[in-house]
Amino acid sequence: MAFKLYNAPQSTCSQRVRFVLNAKGLAFEEVKLNLLEGDQLKPEYLKLNPNGVVPTLDHDGAIIIDSNVITEYLDEIAPPINFTPQDPVERARMRALMHFIDEMPAAAVRVPTFNLAFLPSFQKMESEAFAAMAASKPLRREFMFTMGQAGFPRHEMDAALARLRRTYERMDTEIEKTGGPWLLGECITLADVAVMPSLVRIHDLGLADWQDLPRIVTWFDNIRAHPAYKPTFYHGSLLSERFPHLRA
Ligand SMILES: N[C@@H](CCC(=O)N[C@@H](CS)C(=O)NCC(=O)O)C(=O)O
């Protein structure tokens, strides 16, 4: 089996897939796209992924897109290390959480990410070049225009951080219900993998506000101690490692 992963080191969606590949011990060739330079919008890449986003998995020529779809695919084709419960009801719970995660933290985390890390690069662009780049994004056109070159206003940042806070509270409730330490109980699942990069990102941006939720503190320690964590977050995967202004 040959795997080629089109992705970006700092991309939270890519980090989900790298984590599962690493956990399963599957060797993969990594094609790194420069998202700020628009590699994801080039015609040859759009043929693979018409959404113009990473990640994209090429498995022996079969093209699979969307990070949660890719992680489920990997779990189906590459046992025995498994991130999906056997019981259909538990499996449904995991998938419901994955939908919640894509709708809430995965979407919300883009606001502080773009405002704090990427905005300075966009502010250096001529306004016409910025508008053309934003307009060329199949999935994120409106997001880019809403941000503009002035950045998201304070109330959008606050709303995004509130949605993230509600995510930690929801995770806390799930862990309390199942007995933890993972979201669905004793075993780590794709739901934990799906939410992990959002918490890592918020922590890296210095915005983590879950210290009053000990179950989340433990969950975060546990996921960072997982053997797949280090190879997934190689140097350059954290925004603070790539953007010196974040460290200042
Ligand atoms: N639902 C997609 C979302 C992928 C996505 O938003 N990827 C981001 C990086 S995490 C991206 O490629 N952004 C490029 C851009 O905004 O132009 C997935 O989970 O794969």
Side-chain angles (χ1 to χ4, degrees):
M1 291 205 280
F3 296 102
K4 191 192 276 192
L5 181 66
Y6 296 84
N7 83 149
Q10 80 286 1
S11 143
T12 51
C13 306
S14 304
Q15 290 159 358
R16 292 171 171 172
V17 177
R18 295 207 301 269
F19 189 93
V20 171
L21 285 164
N22 286 320
K24 287 175 179 287
L26 298 170
F28 60 102
E29 180 194 341
E30 206 183 336
V31 181
K32 293 182 184 172
L33 277 70
N34 187 329
L35 302 182
L36 283 176
E37 285 184 6
D39 289 349
Q40 74 280 24
L41 304 167
K42 291 186 175 154
E44 60 272 28
Y45 183 73
L46 289 173
K47 279 188 204 144
L48 299 177
N49 188 331
N51 292 332
V53 291
V54 290
T56 296
L57 182 72
D58 175 337
H59 174 209
D60 289 336
I63 302 300
I64 319 287
I65 63 169
D66 201 285
S67 57
N68 278 342
V69 174
I70 299 171
T71 57
E72 284 217 54
Y73 173 81
L74 289 171
D75 237 13
E76 283 171 17
I77 59 149
I81 293 176
N82 205 273
F83 288 88
T84 306
Q86 290 304 304
D87 175 50
V89 173
E90 289 296 294
R91 219 155 49 219
R93 285 199 182 118
M94 177 189 84
R95 289 185 176 131
L97 274 175
M98 288 164 81
H99 282 283
F100 168 83
I101 289 160
D102 260 2
E103 194 158 328
M104 287 279 280
V109 84
R110 287 187 200 114
V111 174
T113 295
F114 275 69
N115 248 17
L116 300 177
F118 303 153
L119 190 60
S121 312
F122 297 135
Q123 285 175 329
K124 289 190 194 116
M125 296 171 80
E126 296 292 339
S127 57
E128 293 77 17
F130 176 81
M133 180 269 295
S136 73
K137 296 203 179 210
L139 231 56
R140 298 284 145 68
R141 186 172 310 172
E142 291 74 15
F143 174 88
M144 293 299 289
F145 279 119
T146 304
M147 176 185 69
Q149 287 177 289
F152 289 103
R154 185 73 246 171
H155 71 89
E156 293 269 7
M157 274 288 271
D158 289 346
L161 294 175
R163 283 160 71 75
L164 285 154
R165 173 68 200 187
R166 295 212 298 284
T167 299
Y168 319 141
E169 288 167 359
R170 170 70 181 275
M171 290 173 68
D172 188 53
T173 306
E174 296 294 330
I175 295 170
E176 185 181 21
K177 209 164 57 191
T178 62
W182 303 107
L183 292 173
L184 277 105
E186 269 175 36
C187 297
I188 184 169
T189 70
L190 293 180
D192 297 285
V193 176
V195 78
M196 163 200 64
S198 295
L199 272 74
V200 173
R201 168 64 47 82
I202 285 299
H203 185 262
D204 186 39
L205 291 174
L207 297 170
D209 63 343
W210 56 72
Q211 299 316 314
D212 59 322
L213 301 171
R215 281 182 282 261
I216 303 304
V217 172
T218 303
W219 180 94
F220 192 60
D221 288 345
N222 286 342
I223 203 128
R224 291 199 299 172
H226 192 285
Y229 183 88
K230 256 198 172 149
T232 297
F233 288 87
Y234 51 75
H235 187 79
S237 301
L238 297 180
L239 293 179
S240 60
E241 293 164 345
R242 296 172 69 96
F243 297 96
H245 74 267
L246 288 176
R247 292 196 295 274

